[in-house]
Every structure is written in C-alpha cells, then in structure tokens.
Amino acid sequence: PYTSGSAASSNIETFINMSMNSLYHAALNFTGQNYAAGEYKRTKKILGQCVACVTVVGVVLGAIGLVFGESLLRIYIPKDPEAVAFGYRRLVIICSTYFLCGIMDTHVGVLRGMGYSIMPMIVSLTGACALRVVWILTVFQMNRTLFILFLSYPVTWAVTAAAHFVCYLIVHHKMMEKAKAEQAEAAKA
C-alpha cells in the first residue's frame, strides 16, 4: 500500500508541479530578455511577480489537491483503501507546501536568466539533495515515521529557496555595480 499510495500521490503532485514549472520558464525567459537588453533593475520586478504567481498557483492547486485528494487517489488505486489513506497522508504534506518548491524553482529561473547556471545547480544539489540525505541520517533516525520523512521535502525547499534568494541578491548587486560602471564610462566618453 505504501508504494502504490506514494506513486498515486506523486502523479497528482506532478500536475501541480507542471503548472508551477511554467512560471520557472517565464522567469527564465523574461529575465534573460531584460538581462540581454541591459535592464538589470527589471529582474527584481520579474522575480517578485513570478514568486507571487507561483505562490498563488501552488496554494490554489495544492488546496484543490487536498480537497479532492482522496477521490483523485481512488482513480489510481480504486481497490485499496489503505493505499489511498497513505497516499493522502503524503498529499497533505506535499500539497500544502508545494508552493515552496515553486518559489525555489522561480529563483533558479531568474538566476539562469541572468547568466548564472552553475551556481543554482550547486545550490539545488546541496539543498534539495544533500540536505535530504542529511535529514534522513539525522532527523529521520530520531523519529522514523513517514511524516518526518515527507517533511524533508518542504524543509529542503524552504532552505534551498532562501539560499537561492541570497544568491540572487549577490548577483543582482553585482549586476547593478556593473551597470553603474558602464554608465560612468559612457559619461566620460
């Protein structure tokens, strides 16, 4: 029941993720266009609007996933109420916090649009992968429940999103300094 419940829950979560992922692509494209045009200040507005949109999409679709979760899970596993119950427990944790994953991804899109792809990759690998392994080896060992295991997702999304935001602030500051230097050079000429 654990495997089928988790797989069914994951299928439902994928619908939410695909919707939020479109905002990652929007952040990437709009940031890239403005960066190429030298409009560095616009990246703040792009990041803010994309984070707001992805939060709304994540919260609304997550709420729909919670409200209709058991019915949706029965589509995938109609004859196993224990698997449905397990899948719903996973949905409760993931769907109620999935917007954090969208916020994390949106920051990655903006950073990549600004020409930085290695930095967000390293931050994501460290935050979303390595930190989960640390979680399993420490926190999960103290309380070996599925709730604690699934809780690693929103915790690592939040930590990684915060790390990406710090990276964005550093890169944005660097871009603004570059723009000021370019303006000073143009004024001299």
Side-chain angles (χ1 to χ4, degrees):
Y2 298 124
T3 304
S4 57
S6 187
S9 177
S10 179
N11 284 330
I12 294 165
E13 295 157 19
T14 300
F15 288 103
I16 301 168
N17 187 289
M18 285 192 301
S19 300
M20 291 190 307
N21 191 262
S22 65
L23 288 151
Y24 154 80
H25 289 286
L28 173 65
N29 288 318
F30 288 121
T31 302
Q33 290 170 358
N34 283 284
Y35 174 77
E39 297 290 343
Y40 306 133
K41 287 183 180 180
R42 291 184 184 172
T43 62
K44 253 186 201 178
K45 187 175 182 181
I46 293 165
L47 178 63
Q49 289 179 347
C50 286
V51 165
C53 288
V54 83
T55 301
V56 169
V57 168
V59 167
V60 169
L61 292 181
I64 291 170
L66 290 174
V67 170
F68 298 104
E70 290 179 340
S71 299
L72 293 169
L73 288 165
R74 282 192 207 97
I75 294 170
Y76 292 98
I77 37 179
K79 297 180 181 181
D80 193 348
E82 188 179 352
V84 169
F86 174 77
Y88 189 73
R89 276 186 265 149
R90 175 183 161 135
L91 273 180
V92 166
I93 296 167
I94 303 299
C95 285
S96 63
T97 60
Y98 217 6
F99 69 94
L100 294 169
C101 181
I103 292 170
M104 177 185 74
D105 288 345
T106 301
H107 281 84
V108 172
V110 169
L111 286 166
R112 287 184 176 157
M114 295 169 82
Y116 289 81
S117 58
I118 301 296
M119 178 194 317
M121 177 195 68
I122 291 169
V123 170
S124 292
L125 284 172
T126 304
C129 296
L131 187 56
R132 283 188 194 149
V133 172
V134 170
W135 179 278
I136 289 169
L137 295 174
T138 57
V139 177
F140 180 67
Q141 294 305 315
M142 291 183 269
N143 187 358
R144 296 175 63 92
T145 63
L146 291 170
F147 174 78
I148 295 298
L149 182 64
F150 290 143
L151 196 60
S152 70
Y153 285 95
V155 168
T156 56
W157 291 332
V159 169
T160 307
H164 283 306
F165 181 67
V166 170
C167 291
Y168 167 77
L169 292 175
I170 293 167
V171 170
H172 186 264
H173 178 73
K174 188 176 175 181
M175 297 288 171
M176 296 310 291
E177 291 297 316
K178 178 182 172 186
K180 285 179 188 176
E182 288 172 357
Q183 288 173 350
E185 280 294 315
K188 288 179 185 177

